[in-house]
């Protein structure tokens, strides 16, 4: 056997006369370094905020809850709740009745007895502050990378009623057929602004279902034995992976469940920079650059995000 044919079959070598084409669909060392630096930043933030337990829970169960005392200073969640109720009143002309909830008992939407205020993000600077919450963003960025975008921002007010929200995976909203990628393409970060429990009409999760990488079947979606209502105190932030099956039980208690749904996705699922038009340049400039990135007022950083999103789960590009 000649030396040259030996080289042709050896690992990491090319046959004589062959060359590698450095086209734009292949990696470069710069891209590799950028992806590693992005990973370091994402894990650095998790270390700084001491969020390892939350990340462990997220990986194991598909969702995590950031406790009120870690989420924000005392009083912030109450002000946020009042701002959502005020926005709801402005939108509908009906003052939400917090003690009985009867103003919302007859509403019927895709989420049951729930009034949606959408988009919410531009209606009060508190909603923008809530979006920039550092602990929520640390988890969202762990799931979706630094280039992720806010897809929707919705105030949710749920009254007493009878309607369940069937189990579903938010990944379905992007039109992705199963099997889903095991790492998240979309995720949700919800501010629970009143207590969540079974009788309060809480969100329900099927722990570990994100690992199945598929939608629930029609039968599973309405199988009440799978509904596990979450217990979370007012002021918590609930973050879940886009593959995680979740739904909600009806509210049995009088009164209202109030929350903000912030739904995020990787930049390549972006339906368009729908929030940028809601803000003036001056308003955007008041916030750190991450705000402009999230609302789509600034292009995704980096030269070649097509490439970056493929190489790294935590890439600054993907
Ligand atoms: O209303 C809830 O608790 C769940 C909301 C939900 O399923 C969603 O935003 O995808």
């Amino acid at each position: 056997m000649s030396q040259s044919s030996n080289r042709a079959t050896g690992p990491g070598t090319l046959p004589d006369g062959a060359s590698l084409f450095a086209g734009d669909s292949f990696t470069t060392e710069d891209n590799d370094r950028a992806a590693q630096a992005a990973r370091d930043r994402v894990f650095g933030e998790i270390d700084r905020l001491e969020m390892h337990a939350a990340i462990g829970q997220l990986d194991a169960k598909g969702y995590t809850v950031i406790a009120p005392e870690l989420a924000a200073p005392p009083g912030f969640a109450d002000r946020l709740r009042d701002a959502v109720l005020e926005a709801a009143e402005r939108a509908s002309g009906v003052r939400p009745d917090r003690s009985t909830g009867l103003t919302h008992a007859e509403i019927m939407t895709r989420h049951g007895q729930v009034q949606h205020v959408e988009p919410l993000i531009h209606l009060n600077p508190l909603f923008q502050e809530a979006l920039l919450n550092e602990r929520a963003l640390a988890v969202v960025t762990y799931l979706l990378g630094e280039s992720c975008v806010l897809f929707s921002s919705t105030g949710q007010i749920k009254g007493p009623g009878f309607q369940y929200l069937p189990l579903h995976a938010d990944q379905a909203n992007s039109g992705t057929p199963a099997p889903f990628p095991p790492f998240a393409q979309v995720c949700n970060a919800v501010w629970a602004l009143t207590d969540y429990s079974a009788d309060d009409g809480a969100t329900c999760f099927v722990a570990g279902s994100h690992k199945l990488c598929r939608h629930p079947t029609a039968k599973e979606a309405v199988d009440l034995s799978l509904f596990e209502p979450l217990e979370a105190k007012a002021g918590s932030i609930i973050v879940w992976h886009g593959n995680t099956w979740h739904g909600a039980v009806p509210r049995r208690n009088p009164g209202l469940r109030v929350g903000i749904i912030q739904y995020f996705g990787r930049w390549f699922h972006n339906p368009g920079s729908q929030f940028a038009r809601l803000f003036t340049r001056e308003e955007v400039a008041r916030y750190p650059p991450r705000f402009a990135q999230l609302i789509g007022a600034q292009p995704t950083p980096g030269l070649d995000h097509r490439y970056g999103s493929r190489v790294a789960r935590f890439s600054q590009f993907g």
Side-chain angles (χ1 to χ4, degrees), residues 6 41 62-63 120 131 191 205 252 255 277 296 307 309:
N6 250 347
R41 285 195 297 276
Y63 63 92
L120 186 80
L131 172 68
W191 279 89
F205 292 99
R252 307 279 185 206
R277 67 186 162 75
Y307 164 73
S309 65

Side-chain angles (χ1 to χ4, degrees), residues 111 156 165 168 170 188 202-203 240 246-248 257 261:
H111 285 189
Q156 245 203 351
L165 175 66
H168 59 284
D170 289 337
N188 228 317
T203 313
W240 67 89
H246 63 285
R257 192 197 80 172
I261 298 181

Side-chain angles (χ1 to χ4, degrees), residues 50-112:
E50 299 183 350
M51 297 197 65
H52 308 96
I55 296 298
Q57 191 193 26
L58 182 74
D59 279 346
K61 292 190 163 181
Y63 63 92
T64 192
V65 180
I66 301 170
E69 56 279 15
L70 294 176
F76 180 76
D78 289 349
R79 288 190 289 129
L80 204 52
R81 178 202 60 213
D82 292 346
V84 173
L85 292 170
E86 196 185 299
E89 181 176 348
R90 257 187 279 132
S92 66
V94 177
R95 173 169 298 214
D97 182 340
R98 280 196 60 207
S99 57
T100 67
L102 290 177
T103 44
H104 287 66
E106 302 296 321
I107 294 177
M108 189 57 181
T109 67
R110 66 187 194 277
H111 285 189

Side-chain angles (χ1 to χ4, degrees), residues 65-81 133 190-196 232-238 258-259:
V65 180
I66 301 170
E69 56 279 15
L70 294 176
F76 180 76
D78 289 349
R79 288 190 289 129
L80 204 52
R81 178 202 60 213
N133 181 276
V190 167
W191 279 89
L193 300 173
T194 51
D195 291 344
Y196 275 39
K233 282 284 166 211
S236 303
I237 306 173
I238 310 158
V258 183

Side-chain angles (χ1 to χ4, degrees), residues 19-29 31 304 306-307 310:
S19 72
L20 282 173
F21 170 67
D24 70 355
S25 46
F26 297 100
T27 186
T28 64
E29 288 189 4
N31 275 333
D304 188 351
R306 281 168 302 149
Y307 164 73
R310 263 179 282 144

Side-chain angles (χ1 to χ4, degrees), residues 111 158 163-168 201-204 227 246-250 257:
H111 285 189
K158 177 168 180 168
Q163 188 71 33
Y164 287 80
L165 175 66
L167 296 175
H168 59 284
T203 313
C204 300
F227 283 59
H246 63 285
V249 288
R257 192 197 80 172

